[in-house]
Amino acid sequence: MIPRIYIPADSGALALGAEKVAKAIEAELKERGVEAKIVRNGSRGAYFLEPMVEVATAEGRIAYGPVKPSDVKSLFDSGFLKGGHHKRWLGSPDKIPFFAKQTRLTFARCGINDPLSLDAYKSHGGLRGLQNAVAMAPADIVKQVTESGLRGRGGAGFPTGIKWKTVLDTTSEQKYIVCNADEGDSATFADRMIMEGDPFVLIEGMAIAGIATGATKGFVYIRSEYPHAVATMNKAVAIARKAGVLGVNVLGSPNAFDMEIRVGAGAYVCGEETSLLNSLEGKRGVVRAKPPLPAIQGLFGKPTVINNVISLASVPIIMDKGAAFYKDFGMGRSRGTIPIQIAGNVRNGGLFETAFGLTLGEIVDDIGGGTSTGRPVKAVQVGGPLGAYFPRALFDTPFDYEEFAKRDGLIGHAGITVFDDTADMLKQARFAMEFCAIESCGKCTPCRIGSTRGVEVLDKVAAGIEAEKNLALVTDLCNTMKFGSLCALGGFTPYPVMSSITHFPEDFKPAPARVAAE
């Protein structure tokens, strides 16, 4: 039996040297005259162990990592093709604590298969959900998704089934499914991992959404900074179309659904659904006023489902295992699993899929392993650059949409950025305002002008100029932005600013007072 070696081609792993490791292994195989098959899989998501190389043995897969090109010769000398021990030996991937603690539903295949092998996808449960869907009435599919409790994983947490039902109930000769893959938040990479590591699950989810709502055309809008994801998705769509997963007769049924990949032009605001629609139509990426809702009048003025990658990629298992199976995970109104992305100053950075309900402290301390510097954790930002900063005093907060909202926070796309005690929260607050000012589409005054004024006022606070008066002005600005902005860019910028002021007031004292306090 020819040995199989798995080396990730995920762009995160490539950034950590996976391509150099792959070339070194290829060269070593050639030099030793050993025959082996190299499979370029996606990443399992433990980036602190990447590049993680796996070998299929009689006892199962054995992992090694993080592997450097300089390790390759000694790996072969240690008999790694048979799972031999080495300083990089990690054992069975499933028993590595970071993976063993997870509940992988949406990411069940990520890092295991060749992403572009449809046969491998089917052998690991792929297409079962779509096979069930083509035999069901559209309303029954929508009902199953609704009953599962699935909510939008892109940030808003809106019930997916309600959005689908609105499009289903709207009469039109043409409807669309749009996948928002414009993953621009800091500390987020779940969408990218799916598109690069298990693209067929997204395609399957979009096809189910199309059948459920009467949409026959889909678009995946991917940020331009994801060239590997764009390439993989284009190849996967072509493979799916050739195999009859997409086309005029999906899986041989009377249902038609096809899709295209479109690439954004680098605007953060195009992660907002109406800006994305404008960009898809070839217009400037600016926010549209609502109503009308995109579900009624969306892409090209037609009824449109707009869902995030993870929302759509979660649909196949719901259609395969049933609504009750999926709803059994989670807490409160937050059902199913959530792929938490842990990044920043943290020891164990990566993607951790689990049921809703873990506390922030468990995620940061037990799973993330604390800071990479070894210093105390000062703050954790949850939800990207527009998320609130939580101090350790709030680490008992369960990972749940409503629980975070109670504490003036948001889950967003479930990205977590960890900061140690050297972080200056005044600078972080200023950064939030500056980020908003740079990325604003400019359509509404509270966002466009409010963020610019916010930077100026926070600079005055930093300079010790009427600090108390200017902090009151920042608070007033945040109130105007929160309730007056057209979209979440201006509306959510107050979260990081106000949470910094509220939880870390010592960082906003005039410079002499801060020095004295230290």
Side-chain angles (χ1 to χ4, degrees):
M1 183 176 169
I2 298 174
R4 295 171 72 89
I5 305 170
Y6 295 83
I7 309 170
D10 169 276
S11 55
L14 293 177
L16 292 165
E19 196 61 38
K20 292 178 181 177
V21 170
K23 288 179 179 177
I25 288 175
E26 287 174 0
E28 196 67 24
L29 286 169
K30 187 175 181 181
E31 185 175 323
R32 294 177 184 243
V34 176
E35 187 178 2
K37 179 176 176 58
I38 293 177
V39 178
R40 302 307 299 271
N41 55 321
S43 172
R44 290 182 186 254
Y47 286 105
F48 62 99
L49 296 177
E50 292 288 7
M52 191 172 86
V53 177
E54 298 177 43
V55 181
T57 71
E59 289 75 38
R61 299 254 285 254
I62 299 296
Y64 298 82
V67 176
K68 300 176 181 177
S70 57
D71 295 323
V72 171
K73 190 176 188 309
S74 61
L75 276 170
F76 277 86
D77 292 340
S78 301
F80 101 110
L81 289 179
K82 294 184 178 179
H85 278 265
H86 182 272
K87 65 180 180 179
R88 303 294 184 193
W89 187 89
L90 298 169
S92 168
D94 295 333
K95 293 180 181 177
I96 295 171
F98 188 81
F99 298 124
K101 295 176 182 177
Q102 296 191 41
T103 302
R104 289 222 160 177
L105 302 182
T106 305
F107 284 77
R109 285 170 295 268
C110 210
I112 295 174
N113 297 334
D114 172 355
L116 293 173
S117 170
L118 191 56
D119 288 338
Y121 179 68
K122 289 191 283 189
S123 71
H124 285 82
L127 296 185
R128 290 179 191 166
L130 182 57
Q131 286 167 345
N132 289 338
V134 296
M136 296 168 66
D140 292 335
I141 301 173
V142 172
K143 182 182 178 186
Q144 188 158 318
V145 171
T146 304
E147 290 177 350
S148 74
L150 178 66
R151 294 167 68 177
R153 298 291 189 251
F158 189 81
T160 303
I162 293 175
K163 189 179 285 189
W164 286 21
K165 189 175 189 306
T166 304
V167 175
L168 173 63
D169 292 345
T170 303
T171 303
S172 179
E173 75 284 355
Q174 178 67 60
K175 300 178 184 180
Y176 296 104
I177 306 295
V178 173
C179 173
N180 185 346
D182 193 61
E183 186 177 50
D185 284 353
S186 50
T188 61
F189 42 87
D191 294 356
R192 178 187 58 72
M193 275 184 58
I194 282 289
M195 291 187 288
E196 293 178 2
D198 194 16
F200 293 120
V201 76
L202 175 56
I203 292 169
E204 182 178 359
M206 289 186 69
I208 293 170
I211 294 166
T213 60
T216 56
K217 184 73 174 181
F219 295 92
V220 183
Y221 184 94
I222 307 177
R223 67 193 305 241
S224 59
E225 295 88 343
Y226 280 177
H228 294 89
V230 172
T232 303
M233 284 301 302
N234 272 315
K235 291 174 184 175
V237 166
I239 291 167
R241 192 178 290 128
K242 187 176 180 181
V245 176
L246 297 172
V248 292
N249 300 108
V250 173
L251 294 185
S253 73
N255 302 288
F257 185 78
D258 208 342
M259 56 190 283
E260 295 178 24
I261 309 302
R262 295 291 175 88
V263 182
Y268 177 80
V269 77
C270 285
E272 190 279 331
E273 61 182 14
T274 64
S275 298
L276 185 155
L277 291 178
N278 274 337
S279 180
L280 260 180
E281 292 177 5
K283 301 171 184 173
R284 184 166 170 250
V286 295
V287 177
R288 297 179 185 176
K290 292 185 281 190
L293 295 171
I296 295 169
Q297 193 174 322
L299 186 65
F300 303 116
K302 304 298 182 184
T304 304
V305 168
I306 307 177
N307 281 142
N308 162 261
V309 171
I310 305 304
S311 306
L312 290 162
S314 299
V315 169
I317 194 161
I318 292 169
M319 297 309 300
D320 175 20
K321 302 283 189 179
F325 170 84
Y326 192 79
K327 194 173 184 177
D328 193 46
F329 298 93
M331 66 175 284
R333 289 179 52 227
S334 302
R335 309 313 306 176
T337 59
I338 182 81
I340 300 168
Q341 299 127 90
I342 307 167
N345 187 343
V346 68
R347 183 174 284 113
N348 302 331
L351 181 138
F352 191 92
E353 184 180 1
T354 185
F356 285 94
L358 282 182
T359 66
L360 190 54
E362 288 175 308
I363 295 164
V364 175
D365 297 326
D366 300 344
I367 297 161
T371 65
S372 58
T373 56
R375 299 182 67 91
V377 175
K378 180 174 182 176
V380 175
Q381 187 177 32
V382 182
L386 307 181
Y389 289 100
F390 275 30
R392 185 164 283 282
L394 293 179
F395 275 22
D396 61 345
T397 307
F399 214 79
D400 166 270
Y401 290 107
E402 281 65 44
E403 291 297 324
F404 264 72
K406 286 178 189 176
R407 292 160 176 81
D408 294 322
L410 51 94
I411 284 178
H413 191 41
I416 291 180
T417 308
V418 180
F419 297 83
D420 73 11
D421 61 352
T422 62
D424 184 329
M425 302 313 293
L426 171 54
K427 289 182 179 178
Q428 292 304 123
R430 185 193 185 280
F431 170 75
M433 285 291 193
E434 183 183 37
F435 178 83
C436 182
I438 292 169
E439 295 293 346
S440 174
C441 76
K443 185 163 184 176
C444 70
T445 304
C447 176
R448 183 183 72 249
I449 302 300
S451 55
T452 303
R453 295 290 88 84
V455 172
E456 295 168 357
V457 177
L458 284 170
D459 281 341
K460 290 179 181 178
V461 174
I465 301 171
E466 299 181 305
E468 192 172 326
K469 178 182 175 182
N470 281 310
L471 281 175
L473 182 55
V474 169
T475 302
D476 187 54
L477 265 175
C478 283
N479 193 53
T480 300
M481 292 174 70
K482 185 174 182 178
F483 296 105
S485 298
L486 271 176
C487 83
L489 178 53
F492 284 3
T493 295
Y495 280 93
V497 177
M498 291 310 300
S499 60
S500 296
I501 294 171
T502 302
H503 300 305
F504 308 96
E506 65 278 6
D507 286 5
F508 291 82
K509 293 176 182 176
R514 294 176 69 185
V515 172
E518 291 169 1

